[in-house]
Amino acid sequence: MRAARLIKLVLLLQSRPSMTAAELAAELEVSERTVTRDALALSEAGVPVYADRGRTGGYRLVGGYRTRLTGLARGEAEALFLSGLPDALRDLGLADAASAARLKVSAALLPSLRDAPDAVGRRFHLDAPAWYQEPETPELLPPVAEAVREDRWISARYRRGDAEEVERELQPYGLVLKAGVWYVCARSGTAFRTYRMDRFTAVAVSDEHFTRDEDFDLAAFWTERSADFARSLLRAEVVVRLSAAGARRLPHVTDRAAAERALAAGAPDADGRVTVTLPVESEDVALSQLLSLGPEAEVLAPASLRERCGEAARGLAALYA
């Protein structure tokens, strides 16, 4: 365990000019005191780790030292070949580059690990699109991907939800593949926004580069925006009385987070049923979702939704009488 940590410490210092004890501790998931001990152990073993003292100090490797401890373990090699989505790489125009990279890595592996690509391929397959959707590659994805890789401005024409087309000058920071749909996260003016790639009708990549905001975290930005989007869809509320079975099934038929929050706020009555106030996308959506629970859910409000559920129940009773 410690040997692997020491190797990682050397590789981290090899990849950067200098790192503070706090930065190394965060990367290695240890205390700063452990970092100090590890650096001392490396120095005693002949690895030229130098500690700069002071407020702006840190650890660095002296004299352009390069380690040869770059061999991959089997698990690391298999994870490397598992990390790419073939369809996504093809969409981005990187299929040939990825194939060449895999060949180079395969050639560099120890003979005992040469079967890692085949071993992973036989055991794991990544399929990004959602069920019942035929994945489509946006025609303008490759030039946008090129602009993302090279930090270039783009001029884009974008079709909004109301079908109106608008033109935007964008700094494309990153691409996200979500359930088979590509999104570009870009800065427009001073704000970061998310755009669906399949709504772009024209894109021109500029020769001008933009300076990236180094504080921008693509994964964190996407997580926050997707959560905001999910919450924004829930524009209405319904009051529902659920049996124990209905309560268990509710998170599987509607927004899981909203259902779990609603259930946590309720308490069973004398009949073992719980009454919850549930955020929903619309009355129409709630109707189809709650009818799937059958007699395990009773809509109490709004009155219009309760009446529609009653009509549906009477229709079913007549059909199966």
Side-chain angles (χ1 to χ4, degrees):
M1 182 69 178
R2 190 191 185 200
R5 189 176 70 241
L6 292 174
I7 293 172
K8 185 174 181 180
L9 192 154
V10 174
L11 292 174
L12 284 169
L13 293 178
Q14 185 174 294
S15 64
R16 306 180 196 180
S18 177
M19 294 184 70
T20 66
E23 291 171 337
L24 286 168
E27 290 279 358
L28 300 171
E29 298 181 347
V30 296
S31 66
E32 292 185 33
R33 179 173 295 182
T34 299
V35 170
T36 301
R37 289 198 298 265
D38 286 351
L40 179 61
L42 287 169
S43 181
E44 291 175 348
V47 178
V49 178
Y50 182 78
D52 291 316
R53 306 297 179 186
R55 184 171 57 85
T56 60
Y59 292 92
R60 60 186 174 87
L61 293 174
V62 180
Y65 177 86
R66 307 290 293 179
T67 178
R68 296 183 180 274
L69 298 174
T70 54
L72 298 177
R74 171 167 292 277
E76 295 168 334
E78 291 181 351
L80 177 64
F81 285 99
L82 182 61
S83 63
L85 289 168
D87 291 342
L89 291 170
R90 184 200 62 229
D91 292 348
L92 294 170
L94 295 174
D96 291 341
S99 177
R102 284 193 294 269
L103 288 173
K104 289 179 180 180
V105 173
S106 295
L109 291 174
L110 293 173
S112 61
L113 299 179
R114 296 281 167 81
D115 66 332
D118 290 336
V120 169
R122 288 193 298 268
R123 291 169 173 81
F124 301 99
H125 175 69
L126 304 178
D127 186 10
W131 287 108
Y132 312 119
Q133 293 183 7
E134 192 66 30
E136 295 183 3
T137 302
E139 182 180 348
L140 298 174
L141 179 60
V144 173
E146 178 185 0
V148 168
R149 290 195 299 272
E150 299 181 0
D151 295 339
R152 294 183 184 273
W153 283 85
I154 62 172
S155 298
R157 185 174 298 162
Y158 183 78
R159 187 178 65 256
R160 298 198 302 196
D162 54 10
E164 176 190 4
E165 286 196 0
V166 295
E167 293 187 4
R168 294 286 185 267
E169 298 294 320
L170 302 175
Q171 297 176 352
Y173 269 63
L175 286 161
V176 175
L177 178 62
K178 170 70 171 180
V181 179
W182 283 100
Y183 298 84
V184 58
C185 301
R187 173 178 263 172
S188 176
T190 59
F192 285 99
R193 304 182 186 279
T194 302
Y195 302 87
R196 279 183 63 132
M197 275 302 313
D198 57 8
R199 292 184 179 174
F200 279 69
T201 58
V203 168
V205 180
S206 171
D207 291 333
E208 182 182 355
H209 295 267
F210 64 86
T211 301
R212 292 181 68 91
D213 181 349
E214 296 302 325
D215 292 332
F216 178 80
D217 185 325
L218 178 62
F221 172 80
W222 176 259
T223 299
E224 179 183 352
R225 289 303 172 89
S226 56
D228 290 343
F229 175 72
R231 285 192 294 269
S232 72
L233 293 176
L234 307 178
R235 302 185 182 95
E237 286 186 344
V238 298
V239 180
V240 189
R241 187 167 179 257
L242 300 158
S243 68
R248 287 195 300 270
R249 291 169 52 193
L250 184 65
H252 300 286
V253 301
T254 186
D255 183 85
R256 177 178 291 273
E260 290 176 347
R261 286 194 297 269
L263 290 168
D269 58 20
D271 297 325
R273 289 182 171 255
V274 60
T275 299
V276 301
T277 300
L278 179 69
V280 294
E281 187 172 341
S282 67
E283 188 172 304
D284 289 340
V285 172
L287 178 67
S288 63
Q289 292 174 339
L290 297 175
L291 282 178
S292 69
L293 298 179
E296 309 303 330
E298 178 190 1
V299 174
L300 303 180
S304 56
L305 179 58
R306 179 179 175 87
E307 178 58 30
R308 292 175 68 183
C309 288
E311 291 175 359
R314 288 189 290 272
L316 281 173
L319 181 64
Y320 289 101

